[in-house]
Amino acid sequence: MSQTPFNIQRAAVIGAGTMGRGIVMCLANAGVAVQWVDNNPQMLEQALVTVSDTYAHSVRQERIDQVEADARIARVTAAADYAAIRDVDLVIEAVYENLELKQSIFRELDGLLKPQAILASNTSALDIDAIAAVTGRPQQVLGLHFFSPAHIMKLLEIVRGAQTAPAVIDAALALGKRMGKVSVVSGNCDGFIGNRMLNTYVLEARKMLLEGAYPYQVDAALQGFGFAMGPFRMFDVVGVDLQWRARQLSGVGQDAPEVQVDNRLCEQGRFGQKSGDGYYHYEPGSRQAEHDPLVDALVLEVSEGLGFHRREISPEEILERCLLALVNEGAKILQEGIAGSAHDIDLVYLNGYGFPADKGGPMAWADQQGLADIHQRLLALETRQGDHWRPARLIGELAAAGRGFADK
Ligand code: NAD
């Protein structure tokens, strides 16, 4: 067990929603005692039942025995308020994705917890430095970005703020190891490594709907390449409405042409699997995505309404644009020092985003193609489609030197 100055024996989790539940189990599975806080007592009660049920299921599946299940459950206790968690070594906050809310919680915790305690946020994209800035211990604040469902997904992005101390990153890496995670350290930027790259890929997928493709065609091309699921099936799983609501709340991005199909689906209550319809149709109780001609008609109506002259988009073009969007953003992430290596980026994509394992990750895939070739293909896209395809400086440099991302 780690003997850093930040040996983590006792933790607290704030928030008993989707992510809090999985994170609590990760900690309990790793032998860490967890106190759990939620300002909605019913939510916490339900969450404790879900955790017990999940362990009971694991016993039935013979993944753990009853003694182990009992030990894990015994490690998890409800805490009435923040005063009850004042002695913990680590807090992981997993409340709603709202900066002011998170800042108010961090401010309060900072005033209560012992000076050596570490404060972590599970935010998907908020600025870790803006959260750290409200505390008197920014060197002990970081992001611990788990993926859903947190007790199953292997990836943990450890987000280093501008002032996070190296010993705190080491403690997080040691904890990640105890939890059996694949941990990758990321710098602090919008979306960190994984979601920042995902955003560029999703944008291309959405643009292609407007230009002529249909959701099932985009997904089929990417699944044919080996992705666990294409972007539109992924939206249905996570909820098409998540980003729609976030855009409504922030008042930013709602008018962009690329999100008009999402907007129309959400206006019709088509939120994805949870509502039975989204980009696909789902029979009651089924998670099987079924092609829905109504969605194709909606896509056609939206794109023609926006003045697009639709054209056929081949599976090859779909792959080229989605994969090169990932590679180009990955290269920018590497050149900015957000990721420590191309391998780290590949680990994120293999363990958190369903990139096909046999291709090695987006950066390894690009190296296999040869960066001179990738550079030419990006330049061709830039000529055809505009500035957002300008190759990252790093790609040009490595290509000119006959090197790959792995050599950086
Ligand atoms: P959720 O809505 O399922 O749960 C949030 C919980 O926080 C609720 O139980 C709510 O009662 C509680 N809460 C709200 N305000 C509180 C307060 N002041 N004090 C204590 N508890 C409070 O949300 P979620 O999906 O679990 O997401 C939580 C965080 O994790 C967000 O920052 C989100 O961006 C991030 N995240 C989510 C996912 C995902 O797939 N859901 C993945 C990675 C990261």
Side-chain angles (χ1 to χ4, degrees), residues 381-395:
L381 281 166
E382 185 186 1
T383 307
R384 281 205 306 276
Q385 306 218 319
D387 282 356
H388 76 286
W389 280 112
R390 178 157 310 142
R393 177 179 45 76
L394 180 64
I395 295 180

Side-chain angles (χ1 to χ4, degrees), residues 14-20 37-40 43 82 93-97 101-102 105 122-124 145-148:
I14 317 287
T18 309
M19 295 309 291
V37 183
D38 196 293
N39 65 350
N40 177 343
M43 196 70 173
Y82 294 152
E93 164 279 311
V95 304
Y96 306 131
E97 185 79 338
L101 174 63
K102 289 183 193 283
I105 290 173
N122 183 50
T123 177
S124 314
H145 184 207
F146 291 76
F147 288 70
S148 183

